[in-house]
Each structure stands twice: as structure tokens, then as C-alpha cells.
Amino acid sequence: MVRKGSIVILDCGGQYAHLIGNRVRRLGAFSEIRVAETSAKELTGAAGIILSGGPQSVYEQGSPQIDPVIFDLGVPVLGICYGHQLIAHTLGGEVKPGKIKEYGHADITITQPQSPLFSGLPKMYGVWMSHGDEVKVLPAGFICTASSDTCNIASMWNEERRIFGVQFHLEVTHTQHGMEMLKRFVDLCKPAPWSIESYAKEIGRQIREEVKDRKVFMLVSGGVDSTVAFTLLNEVLGRGRVQGLLVDTGLMRKNEVVGIQEAFEPLQITNLRIEDASDEFFAALKGVYDPEEKRKRIGDLFLKVQKRVSEEMHLKVEDGWMLGQGTIYPDTIETGGTKHADHIKTHHNRVQAVQDMIDAGLVIEPLKDLYKDEVRKLGEELGLPHDLVWRHPFPGPGLGVRILCAEEPNLPKEKGSVAIPHLVLPVRSVGVQGDGRTYRHAVALFSASEDTFNVPHAFRSMATTIPNTVPAFNRVVFCTSHAEPPSIVFTPGAITRERADLLREADAVVHEELRRTDLYETVWQFPVVLLPFGTRDGGPASAKATVGRHSIVLRPVESQEAMTANAAALPATLIRRMTERILSIPGIDMVFLDLTSKPPGTIEWE
Ligand code: XMP
């Protein structure tokens, strides 16, 4: 059953469902994501239904389909892109490949301004399209309400049954008036009013019901989600019934552990045990170079330490203890919680051992229905500092995925041709190309222009063309420390405490500089990555270096939900400050700025 008065998004695949769900909540209605095939019966009580976009064709075998009875529920239905085509396909219209595949900007002309979706909006405006197929013949009872040059039926409407279809993605920010169109639809649904403030009270009730007279043991990672979840559990259940554990893996950011303790102090949260397990983690990572193997070792050791500490503290299930987790809504879906969502990665909150405990009713996840921005609002309401709850997301394995290591330099067999001065980096990084994961080389571009910190515009487009044309590369970076490729030296070895300290220092510099600007909250995330090579001549501070020669990559990105991302453009003055300060750290010789979007790169390098 769905929550009464909510708006349900039927997920037809791709990365769109969460974006729509999140937008609907911002408009004051609760949203839930369900698989496309959910039966109409299960949707009883919903105030409205949205069919999301998706990568397939409606007539393709195995593509997401819907229960046609949903159109008889009497609630408004909106189809977006694939959803729009699915409405036409299901109700007797016709869908066919369009003249051209259309990706990106298009101007639509509203032909029926009396449609509630467009009322009061301009007659013509820009939208964002991404489709190969289109609706060619309207189903009975529908009229066409908007057109573009390349897509005749850019929008359709059945007034009597309150069914709407739009070929464009109204949920993305590139579509003008997108939120206004969505608001008009949401208003038409007359959903039950919803806000994070009112929902917080309800979560409190849910926690008490689920926990009953038990107690909760919770791992606090230092990230926003687990910090907010722990604070909430403390507030609802009281300190005596909650115990927190923060495992210091040695792969945390500079002053991170102290920062968390300081944030908890004014809230009188003292039930957090800090376990310094850094020696164990560095020992487990000795001689490990493969990114997946690193993640596995870190994850396994994390569970082992947690088990040991909970045994030491006698936190047994038999004595009424259960596990708390800071899982949020997208984490539950990203791992295949709905049938058509692409499997991106298995979230560490959903590994088998934890799943078994969830099935046995031994896990509480108080934030499991919330989006990140809602978790942040809740955190502020609970009294956590603004800067802490608005921190950038940080991967569970911490700096472990940002310290690239290798036993020896690794270069591609085929170099392909890159027309300008460049350096192929002797390490590989993870990417996403087509449907799969890649593990390939990055290429660094150089510019001899006076104005080194202004990345040449042409380089930004090369960041797209090079990985598309040279199979050996999945990433393109720009060197901000050197005008031409220097001769480099490799520093072999795996993750060590010294390397972690070096990266911690550079990471702290970058974030300090970023916080001085007003860009911290517009840049979605800013990984700083350590590479195991430097220059033969050494950098300005190399004489004092005791850890070998290294380089740093700056990876600022803009993103909505981390499924796709663009390299964020930073002001030249900021790049200069960061580069100069990083070069003054002994052991770091070169600095690069990552220009790659996702795809073909991922946000993190591993
Ligand atoms: P990628 O690199 O796949 O990252 O583009 C997408 C987002 O997920 C974060 N990330 C992780 N978060 N555990 C996490 O909690 C992980 O193992 C992990 N790996 C990547 C990444 O920082 C970005 O926000």
C-alpha cells in the first residue's frame, strides 16, 4: 500500500525517478517510488501518479510496462519522456523512432495554453529533451498541447481523464518553468500536505514503535546521514538507550573526529565511543592495489571492528540491542530496490550480513524515506551546526578511494593520438562508459599560456572528445602547476599512514580555500586525489619531503544525485590559490584539475 495522499512515481528505469521524487517533496507532497509494474490495487490511496523516463523503447521486449487499470483510479497521471510514450502505447496510440535522436535543448511552442500544465506560462520556451522514440499517433481522447521543431507531439493531454504526457524532462533544471509545470500537476492532485517538519514528528513515533523497549547500537561514520540519524535516535529514545561507535580508520579527513565530537557537545550527546583502529586498517591495506579489493578490505575490517567493540561492550541481541543505520532513500533504491533502477553499486548498508539482520527485524533506519536535502534540514532542526550538515558527501571508505597506488608505473599499450602537449598518467582510474565500468588511464593536458589558471575553453570540450575517440582514456585532466609535460618519477607502494597524512593536508587546504568563497554549497562534491608520482626535478618543497614524490588532482563536480556529474568550473584565482598552497606541501610536485564529466569518468577515481 502507498501512503494516503502521496504522489507515486512509477520507475521506468534510468536515473530520473529520484529527481522527480525529490522535486515533488519540495512542492509539499510526499512522494514514493515504486516499480513500473505495481498493480493499480496497490496504488489505491495515491493522490496522483507520475511515470518516469527510462532508457528503453516501449515496444522493446522486457521494457517496463504498467497496469492499464491505473488510468481508471480517477487520479491525475503524468508521463515524462518514456512515461509519456508508455501512456500512448498503453492507451492505443502509436510510438515510433523519431526523425532524429534528440538530446539537449529544444524550444517548445504551447499549442493549447488552456491545459492546466501550461496555464500562465509563456507561449514558447526552452526544455531539455533526451529521446530516440516519439509519440506519432495520439490515443483516443487526447489532444496535442505542445510541439517542437523536431517533435510534433511534445506534450499531450486528456482533459476528462486528467492524463498528461510530456516528451521533455520537466524535472531537470535545464528545462525552463520545469518546477512550475510540476507544481501545476501536483496541485491538481490535491495531495495530503507534507513537510519535513511535520514528518520529523511522525518519524519519532515510528522509531518508538519499531524499537519498542530495545536499545540501539549505531555506527557513526562522520558523514551527514549517520550523524543526523544518531542525533535523532538520541533525541527520541534518550541517551541511555543509544550507543554510538565511531571507528577511526585512519582514512578520515583532517580534524574530522574532533569536529564531530565538538558538534555533539552542546547537544549533550556523550554516548559516542571513538575506536582508533587506524593501525589495523593500514595493516590490512598493505600491498593492496586493486580498487575493488581495497574497498572490500576496508568494508570487511569495518564490520570486524564493529563486532569486536560491540562484544567488548556486551551489546548483544539477547540483551535487547539492535543496529541503527543512517541509510537514506536513494541508498535503498540504488542497490536495485526497484526493478528498473540501474544497479550502480552495492551500498555498504545493504551487504548480505546486514540484509539478513534487516529481514530479522534487528535494524532500524530512521532516515530511510528521506532525501539528502531533507536529512540536512532535519539535522539543522535537531540543532546540529549548519556547516556540518551541509558538508559534501564523503564515501564510506574515506580517503582510501582517493589514494591511488601501484607497484609500478602502468601505461596503456595503445596511446592513440592527442594533438597537443600531453602526458599519459601512469595510473588507472575507474569510469563509466556505455553500460559498464571501465578502469583506464587519464591523460593530462598542458597549456603554455600566461594565464595558466584559466582553463582553455577548448580543453573542456576535449575532455569529452578524447575519451570518446581514444579507447585507452576515460579521463582528462589539466595541469595547473606546469606549462609543459615534465619528466616524472614514480613512487611505488600501497596505502600508508604517511600517504594518508599527505592527502589529508592537501584536502584540508582545498576545503579551507573553497569555504572562503561562496562556492561551497554550489559545488556538489570536491574529491582531492593523491597520485603516486612527482617530477624528476622535484617541486618547490621537495627537499623536505620524506614520503616520496606525489601529485594531487582537484575534482570539483556539479551534480544532482551523483548519477551523472559535470566538472565544476572554478574561478582562476581560486585554482591559483589552491595550486600554490598544495605545491608548498613537502612531497607534492604537481597539481591537476579534472575536467571529466560522469560519464565517461566517475566522481571518485576508484
Ligand atoms: P562515483 O565515484 O561512483 O560516486 O561517481 C558517486 C557518489 O557516491 C560516492 N561514493 C560512495 N559513497 N560509499 C559511499 O558511501 C562508497 O563506497 C562510495 N563510493 C563512491 C561518491 O563520493 C559520490 O558522491
Side-chain angles (χ1 to χ4, degrees):
M1 275 306 172
V2 298
R3 187 184 167 89
K4 202 168 160 19
S6 66
I7 295 194
V8 177
I9 293 109
L10 296 181
D11 182 5
C12 300
Q15 66 265 37
Y16 311 103
H18 277 302
L19 208 52
I20 304 167
N22 187 237
R23 295 267 190 271
V24 167
R25 296 225 192 144
R26 287 194 208 172
L27 292 168
F30 191 68
S31 61
E32 286 187 44
I33 296 183
R34 295 297 167 102
V35 287
E37 288 78 5
T38 307
S39 72
K41 201 162 153 227
E42 275 179 75
L43 297 178
T44 314
I49 297 168
I50 300 179
L51 313 177
S52 83
Q56 284 172 286
S57 265
V58 290
Y59 43 77
E60 212 171 286
Q61 267 258 311
S63 63
Q65 300 295 326
I66 39 168
D67 177 357
V69 184
I70 65 169
F71 296 111
D72 300 329
L73 290 171
V75 299
V77 178
L78 167 67
I80 300 174
C81 191
Y82 180 92
H84 162 74
Q85 297 163 13
L86 194 54
I87 293 173
H89 181 69
T90 311
L91 296 179
E94 207 178 300
V95 177
K96 284 214 170 126
K99 276 185 290 235
I100 54 162
K101 284 189 196 300
E102 195 177 20
Y103 298 105
H105 178 94
D107 286 314
I108 53 161
T109 304
I110 310 300
T111 52
Q112 300 287 341
Q114 78 277 23
S115 159
L117 217 53
F118 304 121
S119 66
L121 297 181
K123 191 158 166 37
M124 212 176 145
Y125 51 90
V127 298
W128 197 79
M129 297 266 200
S130 172
H131 66 118
D133 292 350
E134 64 181 67
V135 176
K136 289 283 187 193
V137 179
L138 291 166
F142 280 76
I143 57 169
C144 170
T145 49
S147 302
S148 79
D149 278 352
T150 45
C151 178
N152 206 10
I153 305 176
S155 174
M156 62 181 187
W157 176 37
N158 182 322
E159 179 170 10
E160 196 193 328
R161 303 179 75 185
R162 296 190 296 170
I163 306 172
F164 302 81
V166 290
Q167 181 55 65
F168 50 87
H169 285 272
L170 53 68
E171 71 275 26
V172 305
T173 44
H174 304 346
T175 290
Q176 286 177 324
H177 308 295
M179 268 307 243
E180 290 159 79
M181 289 183 272
L182 190 60
K183 180 173 187 320
R184 284 163 170 72
F185 176 76
V186 169
D187 288 349
L188 199 73
C189 297
K190 301 205 168 59
W194 184 86
S195 71
I196 182 65
E197 292 79 9
S198 65
Y199 196 57
K201 293 200 189 78
E202 196 180 318
I203 298 179
R205 258 200 315 278
Q206 277 174 18
I207 294 176
R208 271 182 234 108
E209 255 167 46
E210 252 184 272
V211 177
K212 300 197 184 72
D213 56 356
R214 291 181 287 181
K215 293 163 281 188
V216 183
F217 174 55
M218 163 115 207
L219 274 178
V220 179
S221 69
V224 176
D225 306 336
S226 62
T227 304
V228 172
F230 181 61
T231 311
L232 181 65
L233 287 170
N234 265 288
E235 160 117 357
V236 173
L237 299 172
R239 245 175 305 164
R241 293 175 60 200
V242 183
Q243 175 62 49
L245 167 66
L246 193 153
V247 178
D248 184 349
T249 58
L251 299 167
M252 330 260 306
R253 297 179 135 160
K254 193 170 173 182
N255 298 330
E256 188 166 14
V257 177
V258 179
I260 305 262
Q261 282 173 304
E262 280 174 3
F264 284 153
E265 249 164 48
L267 302 175
Q268 272 119 40
I269 296 180
T270 48
N271 48 349
L272 177 69
R273 166 162 165 173
I274 313 271
E275 181 78 5
D276 180 358
S278 53
D279 287 341
E280 277 170 87
F281 277 86
F282 290 121
L285 290 167
K286 208 166 166 197
V288 184
Y289 302 103
D290 177 66
E292 281 302 302
E293 181 62 21
K294 277 201 240 174
R295 280 173 178 266
K296 187 172 173 316
R297 297 244 182 149
I298 295 171
D300 288 351
L301 184 53
F302 212 86
L303 287 178
K304 207 175 120 193
V305 174
Q306 174 200 353
K307 194 151 176 275
R308 186 185 67 219
V309 174
S310 53
E311 273 162 17
E312 265 172 45
M313 296 177 81
H314 309 290
L315 310 176
K316 295 202 203 92
V317 172
E318 306 85 85
D319 297 332
W321 284 90
M322 62 193 300
L323 182 68
Q325 292 208 113
T327 317
I328 67 172
Y329 199 34
D331 301 339
T332 66
I333 306 282
E334 214 175 59
T335 43
T338 86
K339 190 170 149 200
H340 299 290
D342 288 345
H343 186 110
I344 304 295
K345 58 181 184 270
T346 300
H347 196 273
H348 52 277
N349 287 354
R350 282 286 186 280
V351 296
Q352 195 55 45
V354 174
Q355 191 61 48
D356 293 344
M357 289 182 72
I358 293 176
D359 296 342
L362 292 172
V363 179
I364 173 135
E365 300 184 313
L367 309 179
K368 69 175 182 306
D369 292 322
L370 299 184
Y371 284 105
K372 193 98 188 176
D373 54 329
E374 296 163 348
V375 170
R376 289 179 158 147
K377 271 193 216 143
L378 179 60
E380 282 195 276
E381 267 200 35
L382 289 168
L384 290 169
H386 177 90
D387 278 2
L388 185 101
V389 300
W390 284 94
R391 267 184 319 168
H392 291 166
F394 192 62
L399 298 181
V401 300
R402 296 181 179 171
I403 301 173
L404 262 69
C405 307
E407 248 176 317
E408 52 189 33
N410 181 310
L411 285 167
K413 285 188 194 73
E414 282 168 48
K415 296 210 170 134
S417 68
V418 174
I420 59 164
H422 67 279
L423 174 75
V424 179
L425 303 191
V427 286
R428 286 177 294 173
S429 80
V430 173
V432 268
Q433 286 166 289
D435 288 329
R437 175 191 129 105
T438 59
Y439 190 39
R440 295 185 182 157
H441 290 85
V443 62
L445 307 179
F446 292 77
S447 163
S449 126
E450 302 256 297
D451 192 12
T452 326
F453 300 101
N454 255 326
V455 183
H457 190 69
F459 287 14
R460 293 200 180 273
S461 58
M462 286 173 84
T464 311
T465 49
I466 293 177
N468 278 344
T469 51
V470 188
F473 304 134
N474 61 5
R475 230 175 247 280
V476 176
V477 300
F478 172 66
C479 184
T480 60
S481 58
H482 290 71
E484 51 193 56
S487 164
I488 62 172
V489 285
F490 197 80
T491 309
I495 294 183
T496 58
R497 188 182 292 280
E498 291 69 31
R499 277 192 159 146
D501 286 341
L502 193 59
L503 178 55
R504 243 189 292 278
E505 214 42 54
D507 178 72
V509 162
V510 168
H511 285 85
E512 196 185 301
E513 288 298 331
L514 189 65
R515 286 227 190 248
R516 282 184 175 193
T517 68
D518 54 4
L519 292 170
Y520 189 86
E521 282 167 29
T522 51
V523 171
W524 196 79
Q525 195 175 11
F526 199 149
V528 178
V529 182
L530 187 75
L531 304 181
F533 61 86
T535 60
R536 198 163 291 282
D537 304 342
S542 70
K544 286 181 271 169
T546 53
V547 286
R549 300 286 172 70
H550 293 82
S551 298
I552 284 290
V553 181
L554 307 173
R555 174 64 168 144
V557 294
E558 286 166 349
S559 176
Q560 295 275 354
E561 302 280 346
M563 307 282 200
T564 58
N566 287 324
L570 302 181
T573 47
L574 182 61
I575 301 177
R576 173 200 296 271
R577 292 267 319 154
M578 287 178 177
T579 304
E580 285 171 359
R581 286 192 61 190
I582 291 170
L583 287 177
S584 71
I585 302 171
I588 296 176
D589 297 349
M590 298 179 85
V591 181
F592 301 98
L593 179 67
D594 193 338
L595 304 179
T596 324
S597 48
K598 171 182 179 175
T602 44
I603 296 175
E604 303 288 350
W605 274 47
E606 289 193 335

